[in-house]
Structures are given as C-alpha cells and as structure tokens.
Amino acid sequence: MIMTNLARLNQAMGLQRSSASSKQKVQPITQVLKNDENSGDLSLASITSNLHDISNPNKPIPSDLAYNSWLVEHPSALGSFDWMMKAAKGKRIVVFLDYDGTLSPIVDDPDLAFMSDEMRAAVREVAKYFPTAVISGRSRDKVKEFVQLSNVYYAGSHGMDIMVPPRPLRPCDANNYTTAMDIKGSDVLFQPAKRFLPAIQEIRTLLEEITRKVEGARVEDNRFCISVHFRKVREEDYGILEEKVKSVVGKYPEFHLTLGKKVLEIRPSIEWNKGHALEYLLDTLGFSNSSDVLPLYIGDDRTDEDAFKVIRSRGQGFPIIVSSTQKEDTKACYSLHDPSEVLTFLLRLARWRKASSSSRSLAQIWGVGSNLPRSV
C-alpha cells in the first residue's frame, strides 16, 4: 500500500509516466516546474509536508498534487514547445485565441478586462508570422476595442459575428445565414444569428429589469448573446438570480442558457459555436482542405471545448487549455497555467518563427534548405 501511494506521489510530480493501461500519447511528455510561488511548484518543503499522506491511502490527494498529476496527461505547452515545433515542421500554423482568461486575466468588472501592453505586443508579433484570430464570447466590437490590433481577425459572440476578408458567397451560406458588407466595404461580416437580434434585445431589456433587484448582478450586451455576470453577487443570491434568468429564457424557446466562469449566457439555439467559427475561418482563409495546416487554439473556458473538439477531429493541431486547476473533461491536449504563461508561449512562438525565417533566408542564399519549415 505504501508503494502504491509513493507511485501516486511520483506520478503527480511528473517523475514517472502513467501506467501501461493509461491512455498513451504519441508525443514525449516534457514538464517544466517553475519556481514562481503561484506555479504549483513541488519544492522540497511541499514534498515533505505531503509525505504523511502516504500512510493514509484513503485521504484525498491535495489539489496541487492532483493538478500536477493532471499535467501528466495535459503537459505544459511550454515544456512541450520543442516537440510541438518539430511536429509543425513543414506545416502551416494558424493561431486562434480566446480573450478573457487567456489574453487578459479574469476580473470582477468585465469592462476592466484589459490586456497588458506586453500581451498586445506578443499577439501583434505572432500575427506577423501566422494568420491569427481572436474568438471571444464578447461582442466583436468590444473585443476589438480591447485588443486594438489591425493584423488579426475577430469573431465575437462565440463565433456568431465574424469579420473576414471578402470571398465568393457559397450557396450554403446564402441559404442558411445572412452576410452583410462592412461599412468600410473591405471586409465581410458573417452573422449566422442575425435574425435573432430583435428577440435578443427584448431579452436584454427583461434581464436588466429583473437583475436590478439582485445586488452585484450585471447584464452585458454581446450583440448576438447576452451575459449576466454574477462575480459580485453574494453567494446566497446565486440561486435567486439563476431562477430569475431562467424565468426569462423560458419565454423564448429558440434560446438556451449556459454557464461560464461566474457568468450566465443566453444564446440562440443554432448549430454554431467556437468550433464552427474555427472551421469557417480556416475555410475563408483558404486552409480548409489543406492537410498541412495545424490550427493552434488557446482558451480557458468551456465554450472553447468546441474548438478543441474540432482540432481533435482533424487529427492534427494543438488544442491548449489555460487553467490553474485540473479539468478532467477537457478535450485539450496541452495546458498553460495562466495568461502570463500564454504571454511566454506566444513570445516563444514568434521568436521560433522569426528564427526559422532567418534560417530559411540564409539557406536560400546558399542554395540549401529543403528541410526547413515552410513559410506561412
């Protein structure tokens, strides 16, 4: 029994691979334990403090050990970076990013979820080398206002409001969805839920009325969906707020209610999510039928799981979840601890591509380079 628990401790520390009966990964697992006080690092002191658990096999594994055990199956994208880039050799990477909790920290006031200048610079640099899109639950205008970059694509309302370059309209688009030219005339707006706008505004008005009676509740109009934030609501009022919101949504059978991080979201019940948005953007950018394309998606919320599923179904790509706790039901293959690690990863990705471009240019001068990464 003691040996069993020692094995569990070693596995949690990343000192041994999961057993043969566990799901095997094709890539080698490399983990990096940081010395940051918030990184869940297993220092000597923390290891010693947990040794008493070995004598009690029925005692739950502490959360930090559980998280590090989870990392065995969802290794750090930073620790796995070299392997990931080797897998990307000769491929074209397309980058997709969530906003809240990924490019910016989760904050109490949604209007103050600003990304840092360092993060903005990193995204700008990545977009120089890879097609890059931000897919958010926020309204497209709002997330664009936060990001403030002109060299990325924007998809708001969980992908129900996408701005893309003009392209020929396919019959399926014309039959099922509504598109409208942007005011500038240079881009096309793809809005599959446009017909729901009148009902969405009705729901927003009703929600604003009922939430006035719940202290701390906040309604956010995200154009094609509505968010009711309850991060500032007293815990004892959660149930009251949820029932009030459900009473409104129940009057509109074409809408449904979902739960996010301290937020209730009301969306039209159409077959469209962040996964569809990812596919649509790949198609629009000319990558849908390319076997050499690797979509890389970084997100922290359950709504990002739809994009992770799409990447898994393609059989190639990098779904990366941002989380400081274990997420057993995630479809992501890799993980990053928080937005600060997202920043580090993006900077490293840009540097890698820049170095690859420099090497390619030198190789072309000398007449070699058949094995160098393809340009994007």
Side-chain angles (χ1 to χ4, degrees):
M1 189 64 70
I2 291 179
M3 292 302 297
T4 300
N5 282 278
L6 279 172
R8 293 172 65 198
L9 179 59
N10 285 334
Q11 181 177 338
M13 293 170 58
L15 298 178
Q16 89 178 29
R17 294 292 301 272
S18 53
S19 64
S21 62
S22 300
K23 183 179 179 181
Q24 296 295 313
K25 292 184 177 295
V26 295
Q27 71 275 15
I29 294 177
T30 306
Q31 289 182 262
V32 176
L33 294 178
K34 304 192 306 177
N35 291 323
D36 189 283
E37 63 181 0
N38 295 320
S39 67
D41 174 41
L42 288 178
S43 63
L44 180 61
S46 64
I47 294 173
T48 304
S49 67
N50 285 297
L51 287 179
H52 68 277
D53 292 337
I54 296 175
S55 61
N56 185 358
N58 297 318
K59 185 172 182 177
I61 298 177
S63 58
D64 57 341
L65 291 181
Y67 176 69
N68 282 281
S69 180
W70 176 79
L71 283 176
V72 173
E73 291 300 315
H74 305 86
S76 166
L78 290 175
S80 305
F81 184 85
D82 290 340
W83 182 91
M84 293 167 69
M85 294 307 102
K86 287 180 182 178
K89 190 173 183 179
K91 307 287 186 178
R92 292 180 289 179
I93 295 176
V94 183
V95 177
F96 298 92
L97 303 166
D98 180 32
Y99 184 76
D100 292 278
T102 299
L103 298 182
S104 74
I106 298 293
V107 296
D108 289 341
D109 187 342
D111 288 338
L112 300 180
F114 302 116
M115 65 190 298
S116 66
D117 291 338
E118 292 80 6
M119 183 69 82
R120 182 174 295 104
V123 176
R124 181 189 295 113
E125 194 70 10
V126 165
K128 287 181 182 179
Y129 302 107
F130 309 98
T132 302
V134 178
I135 305 179
S136 172
R138 303 281 195 132
S139 70
R140 179 177 50 80
D141 289 339
K142 186 68 174 179
V143 74
K144 188 175 183 180
E145 179 183 332
F146 276 137
V147 177
Q148 299 177 24
L149 293 176
S150 59
N151 62 339
V152 303
Y153 303 100
Y154 294 95
S157 304
H158 299 292
M160 289 183 285
D161 188 7
I162 306 175
M163 180 174 282
V164 294
R167 66 162 188 161
L169 186 66
R170 300 178 305 177
C172 63
D173 293 337
N175 292 335
N176 298 318
Y177 305 113
T178 300
T179 60
M181 291 300 294
D182 182 64
I183 296 175
K184 296 179 180 179
S186 59
D187 292 315
V188 173
L189 291 177
F190 183 72
Q191 300 172 329
K194 191 171 184 177
R195 68 183 179 88
F196 293 97
L197 278 176
I200 290 172
Q201 294 309 308
E202 289 180 14
I203 295 173
R204 178 183 60 79
T205 300
L206 292 173
L207 289 173
E208 287 177 342
E209 291 177 358
I210 65 169
T211 55
R212 289 194 188 102
K213 302 174 183 178
V214 180
E215 184 178 354
R218 167 90 178 271
V219 176
E220 182 180 11
D221 184 355
N222 289 316
R223 186 153 174 76
F224 292 100
C225 60
I226 303 170
S227 299
V228 180
H229 299 273
F230 58 92
R231 191 168 293 276
K232 291 185 176 182
V233 174
R234 295 179 303 179
E235 189 171 350
E236 55 265 32
D237 292 335
Y238 287 176
I240 296 174
L241 177 63
E242 184 178 3
E243 289 304 315
K244 287 180 178 291
V245 173
K246 284 182 177 179
S247 68
V248 172
V249 179
K251 299 175 184 177
Y252 294 84
E254 290 186 309
F255 289 79
H256 66 281
L257 181 67
T258 60
L259 176 65
K261 292 184 176 179
K262 293 295 181 72
V263 61
L264 296 167
E265 294 188 313
I266 298 88
R267 288 191 271 171
S269 297
I270 63 172
E271 192 176 346
W272 196 265
N273 53 46
K274 288 186 176 182
H276 294 103
L278 182 151
E279 291 178 314
Y280 182 84
L281 284 164
L282 286 176
D283 186 26
T284 302
L285 298 174
F287 297 131
S288 60
N289 297 318
S290 301
S291 60
D292 62 345
V293 170
L294 291 179
L296 185 155
Y297 191 107
I298 306 178
D300 75 306
D301 197 64
R302 65 181 61 192
T303 58
D304 298 309
E305 292 293 332
D306 294 312
F308 296 159
K309 291 176 184 176
V310 167
I311 294 177
R312 276 186 171 267
S313 69
R314 291 174 61 90
Q316 56 182 358
F318 305 120
I320 305 172
I321 189 169
V322 183
S323 179
S324 59
T325 59
Q326 60 185 41
K327 297 285 183 68
E328 295 295 348
D329 57 348
T330 185
K331 298 299 181 182
C333 295
Y334 303 93
S335 64
L336 292 168
H337 190 268
D338 50 34
S340 68
E341 287 201 352
V342 175
L343 172 61
T344 301
F345 181 88
L346 294 178
L347 288 172
R348 192 171 177 184
L349 180 65
R351 285 196 299 266
W352 171 82
R353 189 63 189 88
K354 186 176 182 179
S356 298
S357 298
S358 299
S359 299
R360 182 181 178 87
S361 298
L362 288 173
Q364 288 175 339
I365 292 174
W366 292 100
V368 296
S370 59
N371 293 325
L372 292 175
R374 292 184 55 178
S375 59
V376 180

